[in-house]
Amino acid sequence: PCARSGRPSRLQARTVVQQCIKAKVRIKPELDGADAQWVEIQEGMVVYVCFFHGATEDVTHEMDTGRSVSVLNLPGSVLFIPQDSLLGEPGPKRRIQYRGGCEPWWGAQLLSNLVSACRELMSASEKCSKAGVKVEQGVYGQKQDMVLNSVEPLTLLLEF
Amino acid sequence: PCARSGRPSRLQARTVVQQCIKAKVRIKPELDGADAQWVEIQEGMVVYVCFFHGATEDVTHEMDTGRSVSVLNLPGSVLFIPQDSLLGEPGPKRRIQYRGGCEPWWGAQLLSNLVSACRELMSASEKCSKAGVKVEQGVYGQKQDMVLNSVEPLTLLLEF
């Protein structure tokens, strides 16, 4: 369990959600003459996500089906972007401190679970299947080189 | 003072900050054949901001000089985007409820104060003047049609 000050001890994940008409994130840098690789979505939302120390697999289920925005109502695609900077809290001397995150291998696992659960949920929805929505993700532990186009981002903070 | 559940009663503003290499927001729609107008920054940060009921002018001062990221260290430009959706909290039936914001005219005033204070702070910094950084803002109560380019957004949640 997380014992950081100013945060409920049960907090397992923090997300920032933004609506977009197009968004892409680089999953492979340009290397040895080979082009960079990107994943892209149209019409949907970008979900920046970090997991706190003590996060369990249950939280990915809760994020998917619980009190979160119902993506299925759009219908829209989802791009998950790992974003450990969301752990940040102001520390002394105007510096931001990044503490209290779960271990990277576990964060990567939880993100992967979340993406799978979301894909499953969407493929079970006729509306989503018809609309051809997709679920993509950035790469854990990598710089999230990205472009976002939005006509109304409607930025939301959701904690789990 | 704000009496919403689950939030400290003193909370006056919520911001989500993202690093960018370029960002722009539309401040005037295309109308009667006239082109749309945008404001744009290079190399800096986008700050999505909402003010809660009970927010005072003091908070804009605190946001600017207090425990926030020191923009002056970049040096970088800042684009403030009013974003009342940040008030959102999950309600019954998977719906997001937007409550507890300050009145629109007051939010617009606070945002304008924040932008002025930030401009003043920057113009007093030799490093920022030399780098030609600028401070821009979106329009309160308008859809924030926008484009963000980032090589590493480093999304941060900062509350005041």
Side-chain angles (χ1 to χ4, degrees):
Chain A
C2 174
R4 299 187 61 202
S5 61
R7 182 181 300 155
S9 63
R10 70 186 181 287
L11 201 56
Q12 297 192 50
R14 175 174 288 157
T15 64
V16 167
V17 180
Q18 288 189 314
Q19 274 196 149
C20 66
I21 49 168
K22 196 163 75 177
K24 62 177 185 175
V25 64
R26 200 184 59 187
I27 52 167
K28 225 174 183 174
E30 194 182 311
L31 205 64
D32 298 330
D35 287 344
Q37 279 179 34
W38 300 73
V39 287
E40 181 171 334
I41 63 162
Q42 313 280 333
E43 298 284 348
M45 59 177 77
V46 173
V47 182
Y48 306 91
V49 57
C50 78
F51 295 101
F52 292 105
H53 180 68
T56 67
E57 285 178 314
D58 292 343
V59 76
T60 60
H61 180 71
E62 194 199 340
M63 291 167 83
D64 214 45
T65 59
R67 56 193 173 86
S68 63
V69 191
S70 183
V71 179
L72 303 176
N73 285 336
L74 289 175
S77 295
V78 187
L79 173 57
F80 287 100
I81 299 191
Q83 194 80 168
D84 276 352
S85 56
L86 280 172
L87 299 165
E89 291 200 339
K93 294 185 186 172
R94 292 189 182 193
R95 292 195 184 282
I96 300 293
Q97 296 179 323
Y98 302 93
R99 292 185 307 194
C102 69
E103 289 187 62
W105 67 271
W106 184 236
Q109 176 68 50
L110 291 176
L111 182 67
S112 162
N113 285 4
L114 184 57
V115 169
S116 300
C118 198
R119 279 187 183 143
E120 218 165 282
L121 208 64
M122 284 202 176
S123 65
S125 151
E126 202 184 332
K127 197 159 63 170
C128 284
S129 301
K130 272 187 187 164
V133 301
K134 55 182 182 172
V135 183
E136 298 287 357
Q137 67 163 98
V139 179
Y140 216 88
Q142 193 169 289
K143 278 192 181 186
Q144 304 297 323
D145 195 345
M146 65 168 292
V147 183
L148 171 92
N149 288 259
S150 180
V151 289
E152 194 176 18
L154 283 176
T155 311
L156 262 186
L157 167 69
L158 293 172
E159 295 179 323
F160 299 89
Chain B
C2 174
R4 299 188 61 203
S5 61
R7 180 181 301 154
S9 63
R10 70 184 181 289
L11 202 56
Q12 297 192 50
R14 174 174 288 157
T15 64
V16 167
V17 179
Q18 288 189 314
Q19 274 195 152
C20 67
I21 51 168
K22 197 163 73 179
K24 63 175 185 176
V25 65
R26 200 183 59 185
I27 53 168
K28 224 172 183 176
E30 195 181 312
L31 205 65
D32 298 330
D35 287 343
Q37 279 180 32
W38 299 72
V39 287
E40 181 172 334
I41 63 162
Q42 313 280 334
E43 299 284 350
M45 59 177 74
V46 174
V47 181
Y48 306 92
V49 56
C50 78
F51 295 101
F52 292 106
H53 180 67
T56 67
E57 284 179 315
D58 291 343
V59 75
T60 60
H61 180 71
E62 194 198 340
M63 291 169 83
D64 214 45
T65 58
R67 55 194 172 85
S68 64
V69 191
S70 183
V71 179
L72 303 176
N73 285 336
L74 288 175
S77 295
V78 187
L79 174 57
F80 288 99
I81 298 190
Q83 195 79 169
D84 276 352
S85 55
L86 280 172
L87 299 165
E89 292 200 338
K93 295 185 185 171
R94 293 190 184 193
R95 291 195 185 281
I96 301 293
Q97 296 179 323
Y98 302 93
R99 293 186 305 195
C102 70
E103 290 186 63
W105 67 271
W106 184 235
Q109 176 67 50
L110 291 176
L111 182 68
S112 161
N113 284 4
L114 184 57
V115 169
S116 300
C118 197
R119 279 186 181 145
E120 217 165 284
L121 208 64
M122 285 201 176
S123 66
S125 152
E126 203 183 333
K127 199 159 64 172
C128 286
S129 301
K130 272 187 187 165
V133 301
K134 54 182 184 173
V135 183
E136 299 286 358
Q137 66 163 98
V139 179
Y140 217 89
Q142 194 168 290
K143 278 193 182 186
Q144 304 299 321
D145 195 344
M146 63 168 292
V147 183
L148 172 90
N149 288 260
S150 181
V151 289
E152 193 176 19
L154 284 176
T155 311
L156 261 186
L157 168 69
L158 293 172
E159 295 178 323
F160 300 88

